[in-house]
Amino acid sequence: MSMLIAARVLQGIGGGSVIALVRTVVADIAPGARRGRCQRWFSDVYATASVMGPVLGDLSAEHIGCRGPLASGRSTAQGLLCSRAAYRRS
């Protein structure tokens, strides 16, 4: 159990670092007039993922099995990458 707790602490530290890094990069890249809109978009995505991620992971683990959250996360990421690529082409 102590290994699980240590891993969750490490995950929390890494997640907090990523959020701070994303905000810094957006502040550097986005022009002043659009900076707020870009920050809001990343905040919305993070809030939605924080709420829906555990719920959908639990449901897929319950109905598919213990490997369900891993498979659904991979397919979701692949779908988002494909939709982003299609959006950029149009």
Side-chain angles (χ1 to χ4, degrees):
M1 187 64 158
S2 61
M3 183 67 159
L4 178 64
I5 293 170
R8 291 293 292 174
V9 167
L10 185 64
Q11 181 184 13
I13 292 170
S17 301
V18 168
I19 293 169
L21 181 65
V22 165
R23 290 191 183 274
T24 303
V25 169
V26 168
D28 286 344
I29 292 175
R34 295 190 57 202
R35 188 172 297 147
R37 182 179 297 157
C38 293
Q39 293 282 4
R40 186 197 66 191
W41 188 82
F42 281 109
S43 295
D44 290 346
V45 169
Y46 180 72
T48 304
S50 296
V51 171
M52 295 302 295
V55 173
L56 294 175
D58 183 41
L59 286 174
S60 64
E62 184 176 328
H63 294 290
I64 298 171
C66 63
R67 294 184 181 163
L70 301 174
S72 65
R74 183 179 63 232
S75 62
T76 302
Q78 290 170 346
L80 289 174
L81 287 173
C82 290
S83 65
R84 181 174 183 265
Y87 177 75
R88 293 193 108 188
R89 288 184 186 171
S90 62

